[in-house]
Every structure is written in structure tokens, then in C-alpha cells.
Amino acid sequence: MFLKSLRCGELLSGTVAAIERFGVFVALDDGPDHPVFPGVGFITIPELSWRRFEAASDIVHVGQRVSCVFLHFDTWNAEARLSLRATRPDPFQTFADRTTVGQELHGRVTKLVPFGIFVQVADATEGLVPAPELTRGLTGELMGTPGEVPEGRRVRVGDEVTVIVTEIDRERRRLLLSRS
């Protein structure tokens, strides 16, 4: 059987057959027909791109030719699970190669959450400034809750901020930051 003969990491080509809210179906060049969609390849939303996007149609369109990395065979759905993002370098690893703890960076606030703020510091790379870092007063003391952030340190989505790298976790692709 075609799918069982595939090896993890193998590069497969095909055509985007359908885009759904849960992922993208790909008609593989060498694959048999699928009972519902024309093709036996499937790309989950997280495997489409390293970058943040709103909809799968921001990354691919029906009829587009794609080359994807084979991840594994999904026996339940009789599909080859694929990754489009694995065909491109991970921008986080590139960022980590040229960045050090303690380095000062400039970025744009992309999201406010109860536990802190996210700041985009490079292409497709965001870091978290944890809430305790936001609630420090100008003298360094903790103020209490994020709602007690001193006036001069409050931010909104879109604000440009200066941050300091406090931790780079390559394995979990996590970047922790502090306000400078």
C-alpha cells in the first residue's frame, strides 16, 4: 500500500484539493484516491507555517502545487499527515543563533493576556514579557496585579517597546523577555 511504504521525513508533492477550518487536504501525485477528498494527504493548521496567520487560505489556495514533509500515517483517517512548514527553516532557531540572554531588542506588542504581553521581536518570532515583569515599579518593587502597572509602563497592542532577553528555550521554542 502506498501510504504504508512512506518514510518519515520523505518529501511528497501534490495539489491542494480542499481547505477546511481544521486543515488542508492535498491530492498527492503518487497517492490513491481518498473516500471523501481527492487525495490522501492532510496538513493540520499548526503544520502550515511557522508564522502566525488567521486562516489556512492566508498560506495556501485550492489548486496550488505544494511539497510537504511526510510526518506519519494516520490509520484512523487513512491519510498521510504532512507538514508544509517543515520544508522551510525554523525562524525561531535562526533568531536563537544570533541572539543572547541579556540582549536588548525592540519589538511590537502583539497580544495582551492575563499572564503578560507578547512582543514580536523578529520575523515570525514572539516572546513573552510575564506579568510580574510588567508590574514592577520604576524602583523595581512588585506593584501587585497587572492592573496596577505604573502609568508609564502600560502598553497596548501595536505599541513599540524595548525588551531584554531573559531566556531562550530552543527545544520548546519559547522566548522570555523583560521590559527594559
Side-chain angles (χ1 to χ4, degrees):
M1 179 176 182
F2 167 75
L3 291 175
K4 291 187 178 182
S5 70
L6 297 175
R7 301 275 181 252
C8 185
E10 192 173 336
L11 195 62
L12 301 175
S13 295
T15 304
V16 174
I19 298 174
E20 300 292 335
R21 62 177 177 73
F22 49 86
V24 174
F25 289 93
V26 177
L28 296 173
D29 292 344
D30 299 323
D33 289 333
H34 187 277
V36 177
F37 291 100
V40 292
F42 184 73
I43 309 170
T44 61
I45 296 297
E47 291 299 329
L48 282 171
S49 178
W50 293 108
R51 289 163 176 70
R52 185 182 298 240
F53 57 92
E54 296 298 318
S57 59
D58 294 341
I59 306 299
V60 295
H61 61 272
V62 173
Q64 180 180 342
R65 297 279 305 150
V66 293
S67 293
C68 301
V69 171
F70 173 71
L71 300 177
H72 68 275
F73 176 60
D74 178 348
T75 55
W76 181 262
N77 293 306
E79 298 165 342
R81 290 298 168 111
L82 307 171
S83 175
L84 184 59
R85 76 178 186 170
T87 63
R88 295 169 175 88
D90 180 351
F92 184 85
Q93 300 306 328
T94 303
F95 170 83
D97 287 342
R98 57 181 170 76
T99 307
T100 59
V101 170
Q103 186 173 342
E104 186 175 274
L105 303 170
H106 303 283
R108 183 180 52 82
V109 176
T110 58
K111 191 174 188 180
L112 306 173
V113 292
F115 51 87
I117 63 171
F118 284 94
V119 178
Q120 182 176 358
V121 292
D123 185 37
T125 303
E126 292 183 0
L128 173 68
V129 178
E133 291 294 328
L134 294 173
T135 59
R136 289 191 190 281
L138 298 177
T139 60
E141 78 281 358
L142 280 175
M143 303 299 290
T145 65
E148 298 174 358
V149 175
E151 184 68 36
R153 296 182 61 81
R154 292 184 187 155
V155 295
R156 290 178 298 221
V157 171
D159 284 356
E160 296 291 325
V161 295
T162 301
V163 292
I164 297 172
V165 176
T166 59
E167 181 184 332
I168 301 171
D169 185 337
R170 286 176 173 270
E171 188 175 309
R172 292 177 18 199
R173 299 184 78 252
R174 187 175 78 172
L175 176 65
L176 290 179
L177 306 167
S178 174
R179 288 285 304 271
S180 63

